[in-house]
Amino acid sequence: MPDLLLELFSEEIPARMQAKAADDLRRMVTDKLVAEGLVYEGAKAFATPRRLALTVHGIPARQPDLKTERRGPKVGAPDAAVQGFLKATGLKSLDEAKIQRDPKGDFYIGLIEKPGRDAINVLAEVLPVIIRTFPWPKSMRWGARSGKPGSLNWVRPLHAITATFGLETEEPDVVKFEVDGIESGQTTYGHRFLAPAPISVRRFEDYEAKLLEAKVVLDPERRKDAILTDAKQLAFAQGFELVEDQNLLDEVAGLVEWPIVLMGSFEPEFLKTPDEVIRATIRNNQKCFVVRDPKTGKLANKFILVANIDATDGGATIIAGNERVIRARLSDAKFFYETDLKTKLEDRLPKFEQIVFHEKLGTQAERIKRIERLAAEIAPLVGADGPKATRAAHLAKADLLTEVVGEFPEVQGLMGKYYALAQSEDASVAAACEEHYKPQGPADRVPTDPVSVAVALADKIDTLVGFWTIDEKPTGSKDPYALRRAALGVIRLIAENALRLSLMKVAGSALAGLSVKPADASKLPSDLLAFFADRLKVQLREQGARHDLVDAVFALGGQDDLLMIVRRVEALGKFLDSDDGKNLLAGTKRASNILSIEEKKDKRSFDGAPDAALYSLGEERALAKAIGEVKAEASAAVAKEDFAAAMSAMAKLRPPVDAFFDKVRVNDDDPKVRENRLKLLNEIRSATRAVADFSKIQD
């Protein structure tokens, strides 16, 4: 079957837009093909700085013919209705229609035949529409046509459109169409400097090969591999190792069509500046990689750049130009760093009194005082030194006012650590200045130093309680204050450090430190706890655990010790994976279902202890005895926080529950016996609630 080759050749496309643009092009074209009845075999899109390209193979040469039936008016309907039916179906007379019998009467049925069109004609119709409606985040108009209504908007001026369609064994045809004066054809262009001449292409294999000859590597993944391999080899040859940076690699691969890796250097004196500042300077300003000395692990005074041209001088001019810019930028960074060192962190804090954190939550200075107080309260709960936690909370935000962080916001916290160490603060205090922001995502490291943990928890809980108090909760996909991330951070800090603390007590302390109070203070703890439950479900689901088990544990109420909840969920999950667990769950669900039906019917609940004198069958007595024993044993195990033992106790219920449902008729004719047996079923439900609410567990 024929293949499509489409290329949209333009001025440079911003690197950050290329990957999505390629995916959008593939999606839009293939969706339209399928909608037109042209089911293809495969498609792949590519992007370089100057082009979007798409190949779709295995497209049918022609649309299938369509036959549809259209129901018309009743036999004997007015002539106007009949004429409208004939016109709509294209029939010449009613003799060409069928009659279909129906309970409501006989109706005319018209068969409409729509012959399929050649795929190349369909493409010529749909491709211009796709180009005109392409979803660039930012686009522009240009040239003389830009003033005319309906002129093309594109990310950068579009110069040429290549569109061919045909079998692999034949000369392909051009898909002929025009967009804003640009006619489709089979001519593209190579590298802007190394091979700018026009190139005539036929199909994708020919197109990709000719571009490679013209110094254009079409596939972005191939460009990334080439850059990474060459950069590693160049660094190794000089006795260094590359500091890999995937985001920078993605960006650089979108800046070049013919990557040439080169190495430059800068003065060793700049290495007195922290490594992270050097890296941020070189990365942000020149899109270059840094290298380190494998012996010391410290950065070397070298950098790796990626050029888009194989220069005749071996890249000497390009290297010199980059060195000149990097030298100036590093000089600025060094000046900022040395200037920052002249002012102590605490001397910067008064300025926070003029900086508003949130109009309803006060200034940054007020927030820092809240975090200090809360960190001091949390410190003994996590094994941290109280004065150190207070000191760390006092200084943790100060680096936000430094010159380096103002220039490179991504190093906030880290610079706080460097400045704290420079002014001889305790190592734990300095570490907390950096680590109190962590973890910032599922892949981020969780602090383990108790001082860092105390300040990190205080910072995140103050944020959560504060925004909950002023009713700025996340809604749908909107979470402008990153409260979901803060809650996940609290969960990871507690779980991965095996911390025992009451979330609601800590949240209550945070609430007490706020000058603003919620409209309904009694509702805030349970509402916030439900939010933590949702985040915990997300966390456990990512780890492969069942989220319904979290609901089953939280449903017991009064559960705000996240570590114990996680351990109980883990034990419950293992229990339910066993045969005893599965069968007990089934029995408990059966008991709950029967109770729900009978409670609804009788409009009452069946609480209270069953009357042992009304037991007439051995299975009733055996179940009642087992429930009493299991309740006591499971409750004692839960009190000792031995959840595995509690689950083992629950397993003893399985045989008597199975026997009860096998031998006992719950809805006995004697009303007293029926009520007593329903109370016994309620005891099953009550017994299992020692470990979880089994009604919340999915089958």
Side-chain angles (χ1 to χ4, degrees), residues 333-636:
K334 182 172 179 288
F335 173 77
F336 292 152
Y337 176 63
E338 291 174 349
T339 300
D340 287 339
L341 288 174
K342 294 175 182 177
T343 304
K344 286 194 171 185
L345 290 174
E346 60 262 48
D347 292 341
R348 300 179 183 276
L349 295 177
K351 191 174 180 181
F352 278 131
E353 295 175 4
Q354 282 77 50
I355 299 175
V356 175
F357 170 66
H358 188 282
E359 60 179 350
K360 294 181 180 179
L361 296 173
T363 64
Q364 277 281 14
E366 291 173 316
R367 181 164 189 260
I368 289 169
K369 289 179 181 177
R370 293 198 303 269
I371 296 173
E372 284 181 49
R373 188 181 61 81
L374 194 56
E377 292 186 23
I378 294 173
L381 303 177
V382 300
D385 180 274
K388 289 181 182 179
T390 304
R391 178 65 176 171
H394 183 65
L395 300 177
K397 303 295 182 184
D399 71 334
L400 295 175
L401 299 176
T402 62
E403 298 286 346
V404 170
V405 173
E407 184 74 12
F408 305 111
E410 64 268 31
V411 296
Q412 65 182 9
L414 178 66
M415 296 312 299
K417 179 183 77 171
Y418 284 132
Y419 296 141
L421 290 173
Q423 65 184 44
S424 302
E425 295 290 342
D426 181 87
S428 292
V429 172
C433 290
E434 176 191 8
E435 294 180 333
H436 80 283
Y437 290 109
K438 296 180 177 295
Q440 292 186 304
D444 197 13
R445 177 175 61 84
V446 174
T448 56
D449 183 281
V451 174
S452 295
V453 171
V455 182
L457 284 171
D459 182 42
K460 292 169 177 58
I461 292 173
D462 176 78
T463 298
L464 287 161
V465 172
F467 285 107
W468 232 256
T469 298
I470 62 173
D471 201 26
E472 289 281 2
K473 307 167 191 174
T475 56
S477 61
K478 295 181 178 179
D479 186 11
Y481 302 109
L483 301 184
R484 293 188 180 98
R485 186 176 71 185
L488 280 172
V490 171
I491 290 168
R492 289 190 64 199
L493 283 162
I494 290 173
E496 296 185 31
N497 285 294
L499 300 177
R500 301 296 308 278
L501 61 109
S502 167
L503 267 181
M504 291 304 96
K505 285 183 179 178
V506 177
S509 295
L511 179 61
L514 288 170
S515 57
V516 60
K517 300 301 177 187
D520 186 355
S522 62
K523 187 181 176 184
L524 186 140
S526 59
D527 196 12
L528 186 57
L529 187 60
F531 181 68
F532 272 106
D534 288 339
R535 294 303 93 204
L536 183 59
K537 282 189 280 187
V538 171
Q539 174 80 2
L540 292 176
R541 185 165 58 240
E542 289 175 352
Q543 296 173 358
R546 291 168 49 178
H547 65 85
D548 57 324
L549 304 189
V550 180
D551 287 331
V553 172
F554 267 101
L556 299 179
Q559 306 289 314
D560 72 340
D561 185 332
L562 292 184
L563 182 63
M564 289 301 99
I565 290 170
V566 169
R567 289 179 177 173
R568 189 180 291 215
V569 167
E570 290 172 350
L572 183 59
K574 290 178 181 177
F575 176 58
L576 293 175
D577 284 339
S578 68
D579 288 338
D580 283 340
K582 292 172 185 174
N583 286 310
L584 180 59
L585 175 62
T588 305
K589 290 258 185 179
R590 185 175 177 183
S592 293
N593 290 338
I594 293 171
L595 278 168
S596 297
I597 293 169
E598 300 307 315
E599 285 171 346
K600 186 175 181 181
K601 184 194 300 182
D602 293 7
K603 296 182 179 178
R604 55 161 293 193
S605 61
F606 291 94
D607 299 326
D611 184 352
L614 292 175
Y615 296 149
S616 59
L617 299 174
E619 288 78 12
E620 292 177 281
R621 287 186 285 272
L623 177 58
K625 181 182 177 183
I627 288 173
E629 293 174 352
V630 166
K631 262 188 177 181
E633 191 175 336
S635 297

Side-chain angles (χ1 to χ4, degrees), residues 140-148 151-152 157-158 180:
M140 61 185 294
R141 294 181 294 174
W142 63 92
R145 294 177 177 272
S146 62
K148 297 180 180 179
S151 60
L152 176 67
L158 185 64
D180 218 35

Side-chain angles (χ1 to χ4, degrees), residues 677-689:
R677 288 175 177 173
L678 288 171
K679 286 183 176 181
L680 191 55
L681 291 188
N682 189 61
E683 287 291 291
I684 297 174
R685 189 165 62 179
S686 175
T688 56
R689 285 184 67 86

Side-chain angles (χ1 to χ4, degrees), residues 15-17 19 224 227-228 243-255 279 283-284 287-289 410:
R16 67 184 183 279
M17 298 183 186
K224 290 178 194 177
I227 292 168
L228 186 58
V243 178
E244 295 188 37
D245 186 331
Q246 186 60 50
N247 291 333
L248 179 58
L249 181 62
D250 292 342
E251 184 174 8
V252 170
L255 298 173
R279 183 178 178 185
R283 182 191 196 282
N284 294 2
K287 312 303 179 189
C288 294
F289 298 87
E410 64 268 31

